[in-house]
């Protein structure tokens, strides 16, 4: 096989990994839909928290900016998945604000505006103060920090499962999708030689393996099925 053929195969594998990551991520993005159907049906946010969606929106916006050619050429599939994720999170936040009581409504609106202000600040700083190579490093480190902060959700669930010895709030399909998404983007980052993609998704993959192992162990002991997930975001 000549070098052209090798490059074509390598590029195809890279794109396949990125597309797979996009698909598994969408499964995670749509997972809160039952919760928001309940909110709309009951006309109230009840005791649910909207903060995970605010954090997820900021994370998606930062990673979207990192994936755009102006910051990092050649990883457009990172931009596509995070643009879809940002839209989902924004829709969830708007619904939450619409059905929240006045105090929580104002708080969530303030946080939403704060997210957009922070994101605009990051964009302006990265454009005005950095050239292309240093811009990629600046936004890359921010994206890794943002992604690592999102690990609080699966860590919370893992801790809850161990404490309660129950998988009630850890649905198998979410744990599997988390693992497969992280694995896909880990491979995508390896193909692209991008540590800002491989490192956080490598950690995410390890957390996914732990979740699947815990699910297998505790579901066999208790013989129970998982129920509706807690209001946490895996995006």
């Amino acid at each position: 096989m000549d070098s052209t053929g090798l490059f074509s195969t390598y590029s195809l594998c890279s794109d396949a990994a990125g597309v797979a990551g996009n698909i598994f991520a969408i499964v995670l993005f749509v997972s809160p839909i039952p919760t928001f159907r309940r909110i709309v049906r009951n006309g109230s946010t009840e005791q649910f928290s909207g903060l995970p969606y605010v954090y997820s929106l900021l994370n998606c916006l930062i990673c979207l900016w990192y994936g755009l050619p102006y910051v990092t050429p050649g990883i457009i599939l990172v931009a596509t998945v995070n643009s879809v994720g940002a839209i989902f999170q924004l829709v969830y936040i708007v619904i939450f604000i619409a059905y929240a009581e006045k105090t929580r409504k104002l708080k969530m609106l303030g946080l939403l505006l704060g997210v957009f202000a922070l994101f605009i600040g990051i964009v302006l700083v990265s454009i005005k103060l950095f050239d292309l190579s240093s811009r990629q490093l600046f936004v890359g480190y921010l994206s890794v920090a943002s992604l690592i902060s999102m690990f609080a959700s699966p860590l919370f669930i893992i801790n809850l499962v161990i404490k309660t010895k129950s998988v009630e709030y850890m649905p198998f399909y979410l744990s599997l999708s988390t693992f497969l998404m992280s694995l896909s983007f880990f491979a995508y980052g390896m193909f692209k030689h991008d540590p800002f993609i491989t490192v956080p998704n490598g950690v995410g993959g390890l957390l996914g393996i732990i979740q699947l192992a815990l699910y297998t162990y505790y579901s066999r002991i208790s013989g129970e099925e998982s129920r509706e997930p807690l209001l946490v975001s895996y995006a």
Side-chain angles (χ1 to χ4, degrees):
M1 184 181 292
D2 59 20
S3 59
T4 302
L6 286 173
F7 177 78
S8 178
T9 302
Y10 189 91
S11 179
L12 180 63
C13 291
S14 174
D15 290 342
V19 170
N22 274 248
I23 293 171
F24 293 128
I26 290 173
V27 174
L28 300 179
F29 292 148
V30 302
S31 63
I33 287 179
T35 296
F36 282 89
R37 282 179 176 170
R38 172 176 169 177
I39 288 175
V40 173
R41 183 174 63 250
N42 295 341
S44 170
T45 57
E46 302 174 20
Q47 298 302 311
F48 293 125
S49 172
L51 291 179
Y53 303 101
V54 174
Y55 297 143
S56 292
L57 175 60
L58 179 60
N59 173 68
C60 286
L61 290 174
I62 293 174
C63 293
L64 166 61
W65 180 233
Y66 178 73
L68 290 177
Y70 193 73
V71 177
T72 312
I75 58 166
I76 194 64
L77 290 173
V78 171
T80 58
V81 68
N82 284 287
S83 61
V84 173
I87 292 171
F88 271 101
Q89 307 311 317
L90 183 59
V91 170
Y92 294 146
I93 292 170
V94 169
I95 294 174
F96 192 94
I97 291 174
Y99 289 95
E101 59 186 27
K102 185 175 180 180
T103 303
R104 301 180 77 190
K105 191 190 300 284
L106 293 175
K107 178 182 178 181
M108 285 294 295
L109 185 58
L111 289 172
L112 179 60
L113 294 175
V115 164
F116 285 125
L118 179 58
F119 176 64
I120 291 172
I122 291 171
V123 171
L124 291 177
V125 167
S126 60
I127 291 175
K128 299 293 186 181
L129 300 183
F130 299 99
D131 58 21
L132 181 59
S133 60
S134 56
R135 184 184 305 133
Q136 182 179 354
L137 288 174
F138 172 69
V139 182
Y141 280 119
L142 287 178
S143 68
V144 169
S146 177
L147 285 167
I148 289 177
S149 71
M150 297 303 296
F151 292 151
S153 292
L155 285 173
F156 170 77
I157 296 297
I158 287 171
N159 183 58
L160 183 65
V161 169
I162 293 173
K163 279 187 174 181
T164 62
K165 295 180 172 55
S166 169
V167 296
E168 181 180 3
Y169 294 109
M170 191 175 72
F172 175 77
Y173 78 93
L174 284 184
S175 298
L176 180 61
S177 295
T178 298
F179 169 68
L180 292 175
M181 180 197 70
S182 296
L183 182 63
S184 298
F185 275 114
F186 176 80
Y188 185 69
M190 291 293 288
F191 282 121
K192 297 295 185 179
H193 306 288
D194 191 328
F196 295 122
I197 300 176
T198 56
V199 171
N201 283 288
V203 176
L206 289 175
L207 290 175
I209 291 174
I210 293 172
Q211 285 183 312
L212 291 172
L214 288 174
Y215 185 92
T216 301
Y217 179 73
Y218 286 112
S219 62
R220 186 173 65 247
I221 290 178
S222 61
E224 65 182 356
E225 296 290 334
S226 59
R227 300 182 183 179
E228 182 177 342
L230 293 175
L231 190 66
V232 294
S233 176
Y234 296 83

